[in-house]
Amino acid sequence: AVVLSVAKLSALLGIPEYVISFFGAAIGTSFPEIVVDVTAARRGHYEIALGDILGSCLIDATLAPGIGPAFFGTVVDGRGGLLGAGIAAAGMIVAAGLLMARKRHDRISGAIFVALYLLSYFLLPGMNP
């Protein structure tokens, strides 16, 4: 249902499927992780939150891109994948650098990370207004 919805939304808006899934599907699949992380942090279980964040990043970067093509090969546009990977890598480097420099994660760093995510909207082809 999600795949068909993304495809129909892409056709309706005239925006590439890759771009729709980069934002919409990614947020939808990450939402349970966000709930776990926020709940763990609110209850003072910071190691659970950190482990979940890092673990989900590892799964997203390794298992998730490998499991589909392991069963069903696909043709991809390398430019979009390379650009998306570059944006993700830059975001992770900035996030790690900011947290290391500030030695804390609070509303300021949270706002900066959300702003970085929104900035990526303008960096992907097909999304620029």
Side-chain angles (χ1 to χ4, degrees), residues 22-115:
F22 188 90
F23 292 99
I27 289 173
T29 59
S30 295
F31 190 73
E33 299 296 331
I34 293 168
V35 171
V36 168
D37 298 336
V38 169
T39 302
R42 285 182 138 181
R43 294 182 180 173
H45 299 284
Y46 303 110
E47 289 186 15
I48 291 175
L50 181 61
D52 184 58
I53 290 167
L54 296 177
S56 65
C57 287
L58 178 63
I59 291 292
D60 288 347
T62 57
L63 184 61
I67 198 76
F71 294 101
F72 307 100
T74 184
V75 176
V76 297
D77 175 8
R79 294 173 295 160
L82 185 60
L83 180 61
I87 290 170
M92 286 185 278
I93 289 168
V94 169
L98 181 65
L99 292 175
M100 287 170 42
R102 296 188 75 230
K103 297 190 182 356
R104 66 183 307 188
H105 187 31
D106 54 17
R107 288 187 173 141
I108 294 170
S109 54
I112 290 170
F113 296 159
V114 170

